[in-house]
Amino acid sequence: MNYFLTEEQQMLRELTRQVAEEKIVPVRAALDEKEEFPHEIMKVLAQSDIFGIFIPEEYGGLGMGSLELCLAVEELSWACLGVSTTYAANALGTYPILLFGSEEQKEKYLPAIAAGKKLVAFALTEANAGSDAAGVQSTAVKDGDYYILNGTKQWITNGGEASIYTVIAITDRSKGPRGASAFIVDKGTPGFSFGKKEKKMGIRASITSELIFEECRIPKENILGREGMGFIVAMKTLDQSRVGVGAQGLGVAQGAVDEAIKFAKQRVQFGKPIISFQAIQHMLADMSTRVEASRALVYAVAKHIDSGAKDFSKVAAMAKVFATDTAMKVTTDAVQVMGGSGYMREYPVEKMMRDAKILQIYEGTNQIQRNVIGQALIKEAVSRENGS
Ligand code: COS
């Protein structure tokens, strides 16, 4: 379908597809098997300026927006969701600086991020704070020119590999969600260490670690926005990033459809390639239709965000939930189309299916997305009733 992409957007898509085909596809199975961080691929993405896509030109980026980021994420996810998670989590970690950082913070951090010299991680989740984002227990206590950070963050993508961390901690527990604040913490700050490295079902080319803060002194100028803005920093960051998770779903689902079609044309049963059977055609038809619907929604939401829309929580949640539920369904159906072969590690679809599962869980479970959509519908109905 023609999405009327500009020449620049088409070139970006072709470039990331080329990286995906030439650099990621040949090594994805090995990265998954060895649970290895994709250092070499990150270098290629840096050399190709792909880290700078969504960063303004004045900070060394390409000055593009959500749609371009989604195009790149889609292509990387088409090849490997582990690699694309590493890349997309870098954007997630950068958004707090981009959206809430002071001029000094932007000048200090964004050029190295745009150049791919420094990787970023976003640290909200804890043992008792995941879906309940306001349940954070880590604390940041003001002490002169410093905040002293204590607590443990869990399941942090890029944990240990990233040089920069955007961290949510409580500065005033009595104020509930308004008592959280957001900070930039540099790797190497005394009192900041890394704990358990997780063993995961999928996205095994990405790293997921625990962050441990023990009497970690952070300069007070590392606060993002003002004290008490941490919950809003987290929510706005997630609103911004969730369409990218939709793009991940879109990419891996397209990858699975492509593999299923390729296989169904070659596999012969009852004397014919299985693609000639209607049972298979109907599955492929449904899979492709869902993927195209996801693409239309993800691109439309990304364009809406890029148009300068103020409140896009609802539509970002819709893109995330629709495209990632699609990814789970389509990757599972790709395994089914390919039968025994689909289940074997020799083919890429079993990995795609394992990888896709996380998309329904991270950056807000798909149940939380439905809550966000539901709350927005109620708010809209109330404001319609009030005639506003
Ligand atoms: N943008 C701006 N403000 C927002 C907001 C958003 N997207 N979402 C909530 N707020 C505001 C609310 O308007 C409210 O403000 P007031 O106190 O002025 O009324 C405040 O923040 C608290 O909101 P709410 O009461 O809705 O908070 P809840 O604790 O009920 O949580 C959900 C809301 C569930 C939506 C939130 O916790 C969430 O998104 N959870 C999932 C987090 C997540 O994605 N975790 C994954 C790990 S991070 S990768």
Side-chain angles (χ1 to χ4, degrees):
M1 238 182 20
N2 188 348
Y3 289 99
F4 302 98
L5 299 179
T6 64
E7 208 173 305
E8 214 179 17
Q9 289 163 346
Q10 284 175 38
M11 275 167 54
L12 177 71
R13 157 180 269 178
E14 279 158 25
L15 172 70
T16 31
R17 172 58 74 105
Q18 195 186 346
V19 171
E21 282 176 344
E22 290 175 8
K23 305 290 178 189
I24 304 178
V25 169
V27 297
R28 64 185 172 189
L31 291 174
D32 175 64
E33 188 76 30
K34 292 190 244 162
E35 303 187 43
E36 195 176 295
F37 187 83
H39 286 113
E40 290 308 311
I41 296 168
M42 292 301 123
K43 277 188 207 152
V44 174
L45 297 183
Q47 283 155 7
S48 316
D49 281 342
I50 292 173
F51 279 107
I53 289 175
F54 64 107
I55 295 180
E57 281 169 318
E58 62 260 44
Y59 306 112
L62 298 181
M64 296 171 160
S66 260
L67 179 59
E68 290 83 1
L69 186 60
C70 283
L71 293 171
V73 167
E74 178 186 349
E75 295 306 332
L76 299 178
S77 307
W78 173 85
C80 176
L81 215 48
V83 170
S84 90
T85 292
T86 302
Y87 174 75
N90 178 73
L92 174 71
T94 305
Y95 277 129
I97 304 175
L98 214 48
L99 300 176
F100 294 92
S102 64
E103 195 47 47
E104 291 74 33
Q105 289 168 338
K106 288 180 183 173
E107 276 169 19
K108 180 172 174 192
Y109 289 102
L110 294 180
I113 299 170
K117 288 184 184 148
K118 287 191 173 178
L119 199 66
V120 196
F122 178 66
L124 168 66
T125 303
E126 299 181 359
N128 295 312
S131 293
D132 181 7
V136 166
Q137 287 173 344
S138 292
T139 54
V141 177
K142 189 103 180 271
D143 180 26
D145 289 342
Y146 292 87
Y147 282 93
I148 301 174
L149 191 52
N150 278 292
T152 301
K153 296 286 176 184
Q154 87 176 4
W155 302 335
I156 305 304
T157 305
N158 292 343
E161 292 291 340
S163 308
I164 304 162
Y165 296 78
T166 43
V167 179
I168 310 295
I170 298 296
T171 39
D172 186 348
R173 198 175 297 286
S174 68
K175 291 188 177 157
R178 286 166 194 276
S181 302
F183 300 91
I184 304 173
V185 185
D186 295 292
K187 184 177 180 177
T189 306
F192 176 22
S193 61
F194 303 102
K196 191 165 122 212
K197 186 178 153 188
E198 302 294 345
K199 311 265 308 162
K200 304 191 293 290
M201 171 197 273
I203 57 161
R204 288 159 56 162
S206 72
I207 186 161
T208 312
S209 298
E210 213 172 41
L211 314 184
I212 301 166
F213 300 100
E214 292 164 307
E215 298 295 312
C216 176
R217 291 172 78 82
I218 316 156
K220 71 174 188 329
E221 55 271 19
N222 281 23
I223 195 163
L224 283 158
R226 291 187 311 279
E227 221 178 82
M229 280 180 70
F231 189 73
I232 295 300
V233 171
M235 290 297 107
K236 292 279 182 202
T237 293
L238 289 163
D239 283 348
Q240 189 78 36
S241 178
R242 279 174 182 157
V243 67
V245 185
Q248 287 194 290
L250 168 58
V252 69
Q254 184 65 64
V257 172
D258 293 350
E259 291 295 332
I261 292 173
K262 191 164 72 184
F263 181 88
K265 281 169 67 188
Q266 286 163 3
R267 170 77 170 163
V268 174
Q269 288 289 274
F270 305 104
K272 289 179 188 167
I274 62 168
I275 201 161
S276 63
F277 299 123
Q278 239 181 19
I280 298 293
Q281 285 173 23
H282 285 187
M283 286 184 79
L284 294 172
D286 283 345
M287 290 157 71
S288 291
T289 305
R290 284 171 204 258
V291 172
E292 207 55 60
S294 298
R295 182 170 290 115
L297 181 59
V298 166
Y299 289 7
V301 170
K303 281 185 183 180
H304 176 67
I305 295 172
D306 291 339
S307 74
K310 287 275 170 286
D311 183 2
F312 44 81
S313 312
K314 181 183 81 174
V315 290
M318 285 175 167
K320 197 263 186 189
V321 84
F322 188 83
T324 63
D325 281 352
T326 293
M328 196 65 246
K329 170 81 180 133
V330 167
T331 54
T332 307
D333 284 351
V335 171
Q336 188 69 21
V337 167
M338 294 173 63
S341 298
Y343 199 74
M344 301 302 156
R345 288 201 206 169
E346 196 184 332
Y347 290 89
V349 290
E350 63 80 29
K351 170 182 171 315
M352 290 174 173
M353 180 178 155
R354 280 188 285 113
D355 287 352
K357 185 64 210 170
I358 192 62
L359 301 175
Q360 295 179 307
I361 298 170
Y362 70 19
E363 291 194 36
T365 64
N366 281 7
Q367 287 68 32
I368 286 289
Q369 308 305 318
R370 289 177 168 93
N371 286 1
V372 170
I373 298 165
Q375 289 301 318
L377 293 176
I378 294 169
K379 232 163 103 180
E380 286 165 11
V382 169
S383 74
R384 265 199 310 274
E385 279 162 23
N386 295 338
S388 52

